Each structure stands twice: as structure tokens, then as C-alpha cells.
Amino acid sequence: MSEPVIAVERVHKWFGTHQALDGVTLNVKSGERIVVCGPSGSGKSTLVRCINRLESTDSGRITVNQIDLAEGPLAVEQVRKTVGMVFQQFNLFPHLTVEENLCLAPVRSLGLSESVAKERAKEYLERVHIPEQAKKFPLQLSGGQQQRVAIARALCMEPAIMLFDEPTSALDPEMIKEVLGVIAELADGGMTMVCVTHEMGLARAMADRIVFLDEGRVIEEAPPSEFFTAPKSDRTKQFLSRILQH
Amino acid sequence: MLIAGAVWLLGNIFDNLADRGIASGFGFLRSTAGFGISTSLIEFSEASSIGRAFWVGLLNTLLVSAIGIVLSTILGFAIGIARFSSNWLLARLAVIYVETIRNIPLLLQIFFWYFAVLRSLPGPRQSHELGGLFFLNNRGFYTPSLSLDAGGVAILFSVILLAVLAILKRGQKRVVKLCAFLASGLFIFVAVGAEFSLPELKGFNFSGGMVLSPELVALVIALSTYTTAFIAEIVRAGILSVPRGQIEAASTLSLPYRDQMRFVVLPQALRVIVPLLTNQYLNLTKNSSLAAAIAFPDLVSVFAGTVLNITGQAIEIIGITMAVYLTISLSIAFAMNVFNRNTALRGTSP
Amino acid sequence: MQWTRQNLFSSWGNTLTTLLILAGLLWALVPLLDWLIVSADWRGSKRVDCSSGGACWVYVAERFDQFLYGFYPEEERWRVDLMAVVLLGSLSLFLWSRVSGRTATACVFLSLIIGWFTLTGGESSLPPIETRLWGGMMLTIVLTVGGLALAFPVAILLALGRRSTIPVVKIFCTAFIELWRGVPLITVLFMASVMLPLFLPDGASVDKLLRALIGVSLFAGAYLAEVIRGGLQAIPRGQYEAAAALGLGYWRTMYYVILPQALRHVIPGLLNTVIALFKDTTLVLIIGMFDFLGIIQASLNDQEWLGLAAEGYVFAGIIYWAICFSLSRMSKGIELRSNTHRV
Ligand SMILES: Nc1ncnc2c1ncn2[C@@H]1O[C@H](COP(=O)(O)OP(=O)(O)OP(=O)(O)O)[C@@H](O)[C@H]1O
Ligand SMILES: [Mg+2]
């Protein structure tokens, strides 16, 4: 059981001449909850997007459940079925109702029947506390509700791992709470998670480990107790002092 | 001053008409045509009236446009989507098609298909043939045909209607349903006694079946391949207008590529595509008037060509012709506006 | 290797597509290139020099001058060449950033007027050349450029009129634009060639080329007007308000503030209209004029050179394609550049 479910080994990634990831190594064990933080442009999004191959890598290796992502489209397909993702901008399908958003992938890619998928959609909508919104269209919901639908949509695929890319930074303060609540419940349920966030409260409460990125490099990697009280590097101290001021 | 100008112009017109012995008014529509028309959807002979010739021309215009619209929509979507293919060769080929076709005048393409291809095909005795059913030679394209009585036509329409309903209805097994409908429809046909007629070589020409004239074939090929290029560009623009995040979300849900296109990208792209598409349909309809250059009897060719030569009543004839096209354009534009306002597409407004 | 695997053979479906396309290309391209180049006849001056079974380019070479100038008398063709240079020169002023757009436009119009008089020879000591002798590529360019030049001022007025707050003006301009956009060009050309003479007093007649030009420019004017209107709509309200606050009147606001910005916005759209018009001028052959396509089409009926339709159309296609494609590249280039500027 000590095999990591996500293994990122010395990954480099360039956008043209700009280096977004510079030899990042990260291992995530089953059931572990990782929070990734760091200044803007440090490569956080790039890192999580590499894990389900929304971005390709230039060198290094990423395996998820021992499947190497570089093997080809079939491997990517297999990985994506077990990895759910939640975006900063929700990316709900605006032309489909909430229920249709949730049922689309289970029916089309897992091959569930419509009725089973609808059952499942209902179950997860209850899990994120908005069962009454099933028939609405995404743009008729508030931001917080939309993000919870997006989480439910990912959960409907019953993934083993969830990736979050700043799930709360497009939201108003009062909506952040409802989304954080849902994420915390997930964490309590034992889901393996990698979460990019600036919400240090969330990090403190649920993270097993906090990874601090800067200029594409992992600067520091520690449990929250250590990370907040005794950061080792100066860059981390600087970052923390700036972010905790507000 | 404007009024004075108008009076002066009108005066000139009447003088000129009188000088040339040209009648005015719409009486000519009732007089005998005195000419034949090669392709006609309704009965027409030299003894028919000029008014009937108008309908023959109009129906031919609509026929060519309808076929062209169907073909160019299918091809246009296929090629527009092919530009995003993960197969490099296929994507390149789609670009080359679009960039070649849309930069060459349509009239030149019509001439090419008509004079360089169809008219230089071998004669009926050396026809190109396909499975003994289809024949292509310099007299046209011969296909099997189906003769129906009124009951047969009614059944055919109801079968098509049911098939369309089956497609539109959401459901898992719609393909199965569709096949069942088509099979039962075919069965009823045979039972009712529809007659198939096959083209056969008799002496120097074919008899039986149905023949599409070389003019019609050339016009349809040129119009549809030309419009296809423009539709493909529109489809591409529509797809590009869908935010990247949508495709990323769909692929993280591991939807297969086909389903990403079908359920996520295309429905959203259609908002951009549909209005531009109607524009292309209008263009195609207007462009079908180039039929006049290869003497296919469309509205312009019959009416603004032949009839104008016979009667000389330029003002009435060109007026009617323009009015027809204008009516088509404006009514489609109007329908489009209504569509845009009412169907405010699913989920866009709160 | 890596690239080939990813882009051509990533799955078996992909591989099948690649192989099918390659087979299709081989099947189509080999005979085509053979006909076009390898076994084509390039040298000679008579029909009998074309005996190899490939394309007969001898015919195109023999007729080349006629394809360019139509029946314009040979010893006067220097006028056409000269005017082509003058026109290109004045057009290239647009690319020179030290000359303002307004000056360049004025130069182009001036060169067009000079061009018209030089080519017809009217009011000068040059021998007059009737316009029915004009033909080939020269006529195509005269129709395109002349049609646009006549259409452009009208189009600006129509575009402004359609946005006017005066109902009569607005309705008139809208109706006028939609009328020409709603009918095929061929009916407009028929109208100009058959109906126009009926409007004139006895004895007066308008040159056929001029009639075609009027038809073309009415048609092009409507399309240009819509493009320009698009540009006008893109100008933020603030610009109008700022101009009004400076006490500029309507016409001055338009001339100095709004139009220069709006027109710059829509250069790609304008170029696309130019391309469309350039292709559409081929329709004049239906009313019996010999533009580039028309003269090639006519030459195909020449008893000495029968059976060369494919050569004629392929040659015409290549020339039209080259011109339209470069114009569309230019339009796309300008669009990209202005997009990056705007960010
Ligand atoms: N598609 C792309 N093309 C070019 N450069 C990119 C692209 N995506 C990201 N980058 C660059 O890579 C770097 C890392 O980007 P990334 O989005 O991972 O940062 P981030 O840590 O998520 O920042 P933020 O907190 O602002 O979201 C940035 O400098 C960004 O400009
Ligand atoms: Mg980010």
C-alpha cells in the first residue's frame, strides 16, 4: 500500500521559452490530501493539469495508479476515468441542465443507463446540498452553486482522485464558505485530493501535506503544523506573511 | 426637385417603350410561351402560358437550391470538423480544400464541371456505370426511379415524417427505431405496388429511370462544393468560439472525442453557426442564378433570359425576378430574426 | 518519427485514415501532375504542336496577350501597362506609414480618373479606343477597381444613413442596402444593361462598360455599406461624446473622428469584399462582355484550338486563385496585427 497513487518525477515543462515547471517531484499516497500553494504564475495550475494530461510534459514521468501518462491516448483515457477535476471557472456546459451536466459523462463514457445515471446525479446533488436545482441551467445559479454542481459532476464519475484548481477564487466571500464546506466533507470521506488554493484555513484544516511552489520548483513540502509555524525557506516566510496579512 | 426628376424619368420610359413598340403591363404572363423547357418539375409545353414558364423556372431554382443546401451542409460540417482532426494529413487536406475552392470564381467552377468534365464524357454507349443502376454520360446522369400513385406519395411522406420524429425524439434506441420505420415503410411500398424503373440502353440512348441533365449536375456539383468551403469555415469559427475550458472539462470527464463534439462543442458552436449558415443558404440560392450561363432553365435563365428576349418587357420582367429573390431573402432573414429572439438558446439567459 | 506516430498513426482508426488519404492522393495527384507538367506541351505555336496527350500550354502562351488586354489595339497597350503601374503605385501609398490614409485615398482616386481618360483616349491627342475593345484581365481589373471606387463614397453615406436618427433617411438607406443585397448580381447586371437605357431621353446612350460599372457599384456599395456599418458600431459612445463636447458638428465628427477609426477597424472586411467582387466580375460575361474568364471562354470556341477547355479553365483558375489567395492572406495578416495591437 505504500505505492503512491500519483507519482510525479522530475517533471519539466516549457511554454515556448518560459519554463513553467522545473524538475517537480511529488508523490501522493492513497487517501492523502495535498494542498498546493505559491505565488501567481508559479506553475500550480500547470502541475495539476499535467496530472490528468491537460498539458503534456517535456521531460520527466507522471504515473497515476501505475499508469504512465506518456504511453498514449488509451492510458490517458484510463487515468481520466479515475481522476476528477474541478476548475476555477467551473466550466459547466451552459446549454445543458444541471442534471444533464451530471449525467452526460456517466452515460456516454461509463455506459450507465440514463435512469441509473439520474439516480446517481440526484445522490451527488444531495451530497453538495442542492438537490432542488437539478432542472435549472448553470447560468441560472449563483457562483457557489455552480461550483458545487461542478464538484458533483466530477464525483458522478466516482473518481478515486480529485484535483481542484483554485475552486474558490472566482467566488464572492459568502459563497466560498459553502464550497469549502463541501470540499472539507469530501476530505473527511477519505478521498485522495490535490488542491490548489489560497485558502489557508482550508489548508490548515484538511491538508496532510502542503506543497509550496515558486518559479516552477517545489520550495517546501511539509504538514500544515510545520508549514505555518516553522517554514524553512525565506521565500515561504515571505509568501506566508503576505498572504496571512489580510 | 426629386419629383421633377421622377417625372422626367417616367416620361423617358414611356417615350422609349412607345418608340420600340414594347407593350407594358403584366398581360404577357397569359400569352402562349412558344418555347420548350428542357427540365421541368411540372408539365410544360410550347402551348403553355408564360406565367407557367415562370413557375417552372422558380421551381427549378428551388430544386437546385434545396439539393445544394443539403449537400453543402453535410460536406461543410464534415470538412469544418475535419480541420480539428488529430490526423495531420486529414486536417491539412481540409484546409487545402477550403483555400482552393473559395478563391476561385464560382462561374469558372460551373464552366469547368459543365464543359471540361460533363460535356466531355463519353456518349451513352460508353457510359460510366455503377452496379447496372447508375449511368453517367454526356447526356446526363441516369438513376433508377420510383413511380408512385397518390396513395404511395402519401405513405412516403408519412414514413419520412415518422423517421424525422424518431430522430428528433431523445432516446437510447433511436437508431433501432429509425431502422424499423424505414423497413416497414419499404414494406408498405412494395405492398402498395410502387414501381421501380431502371435505366436501360436502347439503341443510342437510355430509356426508363430518371435522368438528371448535365446542366443540372454541373450546377449542383459546383454550387455545393463552392458553398461547402464557406460553410466549413463557418463551422470552424463556430467551434473555435467555444471556450477552451468546455473541452477541457469534457475531456477530464473522459468523454470520447466524438461525444465531446456531439454533446458539448457543437451545440454551443451552433449559436454562432446558425445565423451565418442561413446567410450561406441565401448566397447559394442567389448563386444558383448563374445557371443562366450554362442554359439550365432556372428562374433567371427562363424569365430574365428567354421571356425577356421574346417580349422585351424589361421593366416588368426584371422587376418580377428581383422581387422573387428579394422575397426569399427577406422572409428567410425575418425567420432568422424570430428564431434568434425566441429560441434564445438553451441556458443563455437567466 | 515521434511526430509521425503522434499525428498520423496514433490509433488504428487514425492509421487507416492516413493510408486511405495517401492512396487517394497517389491515385489523383500522379496523373494530374503528369498531365499538368510532365507530359504537357510547352513549345510550339500551333494546335498540331500539342500531340503528347498532356496539357496544351502552347495555346495559353499563344493567347496570353489577348487574355491580358482583350482586343485593345496592340500598339496602344503601353497605356494599359502604364496605368497599371500608376494604379499599383498609388495603392502602395497605403502601405507607407508616412502618407496619411486620406492622402493615399485621394491619390488613388486621382490615378483612376487619369487612368480612365488615358485608356479611352477621350479629350486628348491619343487615338480614342472604344470600351467594347477592352477585355481580358484589364477589363476585370477596371470593373473591380472602378466598381469599388464608385461604390465606396456611396457606401459610406449609406452606412451613416442607416445609423441616422432621421427616420426617412434611415428607412431609405436600409431599404436601398437590403434591396441590392437581396438579389443576385446577375439580375442587377441585366437591369443595368437592359433597363437603364429605357430611363434615358431619346438619342442618349450610355456606354456598355459604364452600365456594367453602375450595376457592379450598386451591388458592391450595399455590401461595403454593411461592412462599414460594422466598423461604425464598434466605435465606443465615448468617442461621439468627446467630439460633441469639443463642439464638432455631425459631419466633422464623422470625417475627423469616427470614420478614420471605423474604416481602420474594417480593413479586413473591406478586403474580403474586394475579393468577392473580383470573383463576381466574371458574371459580366453573361451580358456579353469579355473579362478575363469571358475571353478565355470565347477562345475555347476558336476552330483552330478546339477541345482545350480543361487547359483554359485550369489556367484561369490558377490566376484567379493566386490573386484572391494573396489578397486573403493580406486581409488575415492585417486582422492578426490589429488584434494584437488592441490587446
Ligand atoms: N498555455 C500557456 N501558454 C503559455 N504560457 C503559459 C500557458 N499556461 C501557463 N503559462 C505560463 O506558465 C506559468 C505558470 O502558469 P500557471 O497557470 O501554472 O500558474 P499558477 O501558479 O496557476 O498561477 P495563478 O495563481 O495565477 O493561477 C505562468 O508564467 C504562465 O504565464
Ligand atoms: Mg492557476
Side-chain angles (χ1 to χ4, degrees), chain C residues 201-242:
Chain C
D202 260 349
S205 77
V206 190
D207 183 87
K208 188 168 192 177
L209 172 62
L210 211 55
R211 276 182 272 160
L213 270 176
I214 292 174
V216 164
S217 56
L218 287 174
F219 187 76
Y223 282 86
L224 282 179
E226 283 301 274
V227 173
I228 295 172
R229 189 167 69 103
L232 291 174
Q233 267 163 349
I235 307 295
R237 275 186 70 85
Q239 294 292 311
Y240 291 90
E241 285 165 3

Side-chain angles (χ1 to χ4, degrees), chain C residues 109 112 116 139-155 209-222 224 273-274 277-278 281:
Chain C
F109 273 90
L112 286 178
W116 178 262
L139 181 62
T140 293
I141 291 175
V142 166
L143 281 167
T144 311
V145 178
L148 281 169
L150 291 179
F152 198 66
V154 182
L209 172 62
L210 211 55
R211 276 182 272 160
L213 270 176
I214 292 174
V216 164
S217 56
L218 287 174
F219 187 76
L224 282 179
T273 314
V274 175
L277 188 63
F278 184 71
T281 53

Side-chain angles (χ1 to χ4, degrees), chain C residues 108-157:
Chain C
V108 169
F109 273 90
L110 192 67
S111 72
L112 286 178
I113 293 168
I114 295 173
W116 178 262
F117 284 110
T118 315
L119 291 179
T120 54
E123 325 289 326
S124 71
S125 54
L126 291 167
I129 313 262
E130 285 181 74
T131 56
R132 67 183 171 81
L133 297 177
W134 300 16
M137 185 48 84
M138 163 204 174
L139 181 62
T140 293
I141 291 175
V142 166
L143 281 167
T144 311
V145 178
L148 281 169
L150 291 179
F152 198 66
V154 182
I156 289 181
L157 290 179

Side-chain angles (χ1 to χ4, degrees), chain B residues 39-45 52-53 55-56 59:
Chain B
T39 306
S40 170
L41 290 175
I42 53 178
E43 228 143 285
F44 186 83
S45 71
R52 198 166 174 82
W55 288 110
V56 172
L59 283 176

Side-chain angles (χ1 to χ4, degrees), chain A residues 49 52 54 77 80-81 83 85 87 91-95 97 100 104-105 108-109 137 139-140 153 157, chain B residues 170 172 244-246 248-256 259 262-264 267-268 271 346-350:
Chain A
R49 290 161 60 85
N52 64 359
L54 285 179
E77 195 74 350
R80 283 183 182 165
K81 280 189 183 161
V83 178
M85 177 149 184
F87 300 85
N91 290 347
L92 292 173
F93 306 132
H95 60 299
T97 61
E100 288 167 338
L104 181 62
R108 293 288 151 191
S109 82
F137 286 101
L139 296 185
Q140 297 170 325
R153 181 175 70 178
M157 295 290 286
Chain B
R170 287 173 155 259
Q172 283 260 297
R244 263 194 73 79
Q246 291 290 311
E248 289 183 350
S251 50
T252 56
L253 291 167
S254 71
L255 274 184
D259 289 344
R262 184 165 151 212
F263 296 107
V264 178
Q268 296 186 60
R271 291 168 202 203
R346 292 187 82 197
T348 39
S349 56

Side-chain angles (χ1 to χ4, degrees), chain C residues 262-334:
Chain C
L263 290 178
R264 196 159 305 137
H265 261 293
V266 294
I267 291 173
L270 293 176
L271 270 176
N272 289 341
T273 314
V274 175
I275 297 173
L277 188 63
F278 184 71
K279 288 188 293 175
D280 278 345
T281 53
T282 50
L283 267 61
V284 299
L285 74 86
I286 302 180
I287 57 167
M289 296 175 76
F290 296 100
D291 74 317
F292 186 59
L293 180 59
I295 204 145
I296 290 180
Q297 175 74 4
S299 79
L300 295 178
N301 294 326
D302 185 336
Q303 291 304 319
E304 271 177 55
W305 298 94
L306 282 180
L308 298 174
E311 283 86 345
Y313 297 137
V314 167
F315 173 69
I318 291 174
I319 300 294
Y320 275 112
W321 183 85
I323 296 175
C324 295
F325 184 72
S326 5
L327 284 174
S328 78
R329 274 295 110 132
M330 208 154 115
S331 145
K332 202 159 280 173
I334 293 172

Side-chain angles (χ1 to χ4, degrees), chain C residues 136-208:
Chain C
M137 185 48 84
M138 163 204 174
L139 181 62
T140 293
I141 291 175
V142 166
L143 281 167
T144 311
V145 178
L148 281 169
L150 291 179
F152 198 66
V154 182
I156 289 181
L157 290 179
L158 284 173
L160 290 176
R162 194 167 181 175
R163 287 169 58 78
S164 163
T165 47
I166 309 165
V168 187
V169 174
K170 187 181 166 116
I171 291 171
F172 174 79
C173 291
T174 308
F176 193 84
I177 291 173
E178 293 307 328
L179 170 67
W180 302 119
R181 275 163 38 96
V183 300
L185 175 57
I186 183 65
T187 60
V188 181
L189 289 174
F190 272 134
M191 188 205 75
S193 72
V194 191
M195 261 167 80
L196 219 54
L198 295 180
F199 287 99
L200 294 172
D202 260 349
S205 77
V206 190
D207 183 87
K208 188 168 192 177

Side-chain angles (χ1 to χ4, degrees), chain B residues 16-285:
Chain B
N16 279 315
L17 290 179
D19 284 354
R20 295 171 205 200
I22 298 174
S24 57
F26 294 94
F28 70 95
L29 287 174
R30 275 189 299 279
S31 57
T32 319
F35 57 87
I37 296 179
S38 59
T39 306
S40 170
L41 290 175
I42 53 178
E43 228 143 285
F44 186 83
S45 71
E46 293 189 11
S48 308
S49 70
I50 287 183
R52 198 166 174 82
F54 167 80
W55 288 110
V56 172
L58 179 55
L59 283 176
N60 279 338
T61 290
L62 294 178
L63 172 74
V64 169
S65 310
I67 305 178
I69 284 174
V70 172
L71 290 180
S72 58
T73 307
I74 298 172
L75 284 172
F77 269 80
I79 291 180
I81 293 174
R83 292 192 68 166
F84 297 92
S85 167
S86 57
N87 187 305
W88 181 85
L89 212 49
L90 186 60
R92 279 285 96 184
L93 217 56
V95 177
I96 292 174
Y97 176 87
V98 170
E99 292 296 349
T100 308
I101 295 291
R102 68 173 186 167
N103 283 316
I104 295 178
L106 174 59
L107 187 56
L108 172 52
Q109 299 190 36
I110 293 177
F111 280 164
F112 175 81
W113 288 109
Y114 185 61
F115 290 111
V117 178
L118 287 160
R119 289 295 293 276
S120 42
L121 285 170
R125 283 164 163 276
Q126 287 90 40
S127 305
H128 296 290
E129 81 168 82
L130 191 75
L133 294 174
F134 300 94
F135 298 89
L136 187 63
N137 59 47
N138 62 6
R139 305 271 182 94
F141 182 54
Y142 293 79
T143 70
S145 68
L146 191 69
S147 60
L148 290 174
D149 48 9
V153 172
I155 291 173
L156 179 63
F157 270 103
S158 45
V159 168
I160 292 176
L161 196 72
L162 286 175
V164 170
L165 283 180
I167 292 176
L168 291 181
K169 210 166 163 245
R170 287 173 155 259
Q172 283 260 297
K173 308 209 176 75
R174 57 183 165 192
V175 179
V176 181
K177 268 193 225 156
L178 183 62
C179 291
F181 274 125
L182 288 181
S184 55
L186 215 62
F187 179 78
I188 297 170
F189 259 153
V190 179
V192 165
E195 269 178 60
F196 280 98
S197 141
L198 299 180
E200 250 181 301
L201 188 62
K202 292 237 174 81
F204 291 104
N205 211 342
F206 281 85
S207 70
M210 182 169 64
V211 55
L212 306 176
S213 69
E215 291 84 20
L216 176 66
V217 176
L219 193 60
V220 164
I221 295 182
L223 276 176
S224 17
T225 47
Y226 186 71
T227 313
T228 291
F230 290 89
I231 292 183
E233 270 306 275
I234 289 171
V235 170
R236 186 177 90 101
I239 291 176
L240 284 178
S241 76
V242 178
R244 263 194 73 79
Q246 291 290 311
I247 298 162
E248 289 183 350
S251 50
T252 56
L253 291 167
S254 71
L255 274 184
Y257 177 75
R258 257 176 53 93
D259 289 344
Q260 288 183 23
M261 274 291 163
R262 184 165 151 212
F263 296 107
V264 178
V265 178
L266 280 180
Q268 296 186 60
L270 281 179
R271 291 168 202 203
V272 177
I273 292 174
V274 169
L276 298 172
L277 204 55
T278 11
N279 234 343
Q280 286 307 320
Y281 292 165
L282 279 178
N283 281 347
L284 189 147
T285 310

